[in-house]
Amino acid sequence: MRIKFGPAGMGPIKEVEETFEKYYKRGIKVCEIPFTYQVYIKKKEDAIRIKKAAEKFGISLSVHAPYWINLNSEDEEKIKASEKRILDSCRAGHWLGVKRVVFHAGFYGKDSKQETYLHIKERIKELQKEIEKNKWDVKLAPETMGKINVFGSVEEISRLVKETECGFCIDFAHILARERKVDFEKLKKLFPQKKWHCHFSGIEYGEKGERHHKITEEKYWRWLFKHLPKNKDITIINESPSPVEDSVLGLRIYNNKNKE
Ligand SMILES: [Zn+2]
């Protein structure tokens, strides 16, 4: 098993070389650029500068599309705006040389789970055509979601991967919040792919699933390493309030465990 650790976040664009050098020195090998509030990298030259810095320090990048996305909205305009946010993330992602554009696909609303699935699947296929037309070398990666009223159970995401050949993001904290446990045997069956793009952080949850992310405690990292499949290349992006420190902690525990 090979795991790469890294944070969601890269700090200000103008300091990216220093930031990635710091990441490199601490053993961080991946970084997810959060466009969660907006696609803030607008200029191609900025994207290329970030890409070069990432290459120099051996850091693989991914991006996270804005939160305001609902591919199952009843309002066609909201769907169009959602699609635009995803496509803007894909364009910037292509410039940045990322392989995965992670996003939250949408809400069930009044629709049944099956209807929601079919609507979202159609939208993903349209987006894929657009990506292909633009020759962007990126893959859409819908994420497993932590709230029970939000589309994105592990079964739904796995089915999207099978039926549209999209990528995926497995968020273990979200699965724990949604299902009260993580069934790793089920996950291995649903996601037989060699490469897993994952999110992991501490999480607070209740009846309706996810409340918020929190610091990733040591015992929680140990629990994850005990259960992860051994035959995969795994990227773990940490989204806790302290994602760099938590990634370094995860890496340290993982390395020590392998020495034991
Ligand atoms: Zn997410």
Side-chain angles (χ1 to χ4, degrees), residues 94-112:
H94 177 71
W95 293 337
L96 288 158
V98 314
K99 291 285 168 266
R100 293 283 175 277
V101 175
V102 176
F103 67 103
H104 304 172
F107 300 81
Y108 300 116
K110 292 190 205 121
D111 293 336
S112 71

Side-chain angles (χ1 to χ4, degrees), residues 32 36 64-65 67 102-104 143-145 169 171 174 199 213 239:
E32 191 153 288
T36 34
H64 195 306
Y67 285 141
V102 176
F103 67 103
H104 304 172
E143 179 176 336
T144 63
M145 297 304 297
C169 173
D171 188 317
H174 283 168
H199 287 174
H213 288 302
E239 294 180 304

Side-chain angles (χ1 to χ4, degrees), residues 152-192:
S153 68
V154 290
E155 288 83 2
E156 286 163 341
I157 300 300
S158 158
R159 192 175 161 201
L160 278 177
V161 176
K162 278 196 198 103
E163 295 182 2
T164 72
E165 294 181 14
C166 64
F168 56 90
C169 173
I170 300 175
D171 188 317
F172 297 108
H174 283 168
I175 297 170
L176 182 64
R178 189 177 183 119
E179 301 189 15
R180 305 299 166 87
K181 62 175 183 345
V182 179
D183 182 342
F184 285 89
E185 289 310 311
K186 179 169 84 174
L187 277 180
K188 280 185 239 175
K189 287 195 190 97
L190 288 173
F191 299 98

Side-chain angles (χ1 to χ4, degrees), residues 11 32-33 37 46 53 73 76 92 103 141 191-192 197 218 242 253:
E32 191 153 288
I33 303 176
Y37 295 99
D46 283 340
S73 176
E76 188 60 28
F103 67 103
F191 299 98
H197 185 88
E218 193 168 327
S242 179
I253 296 169

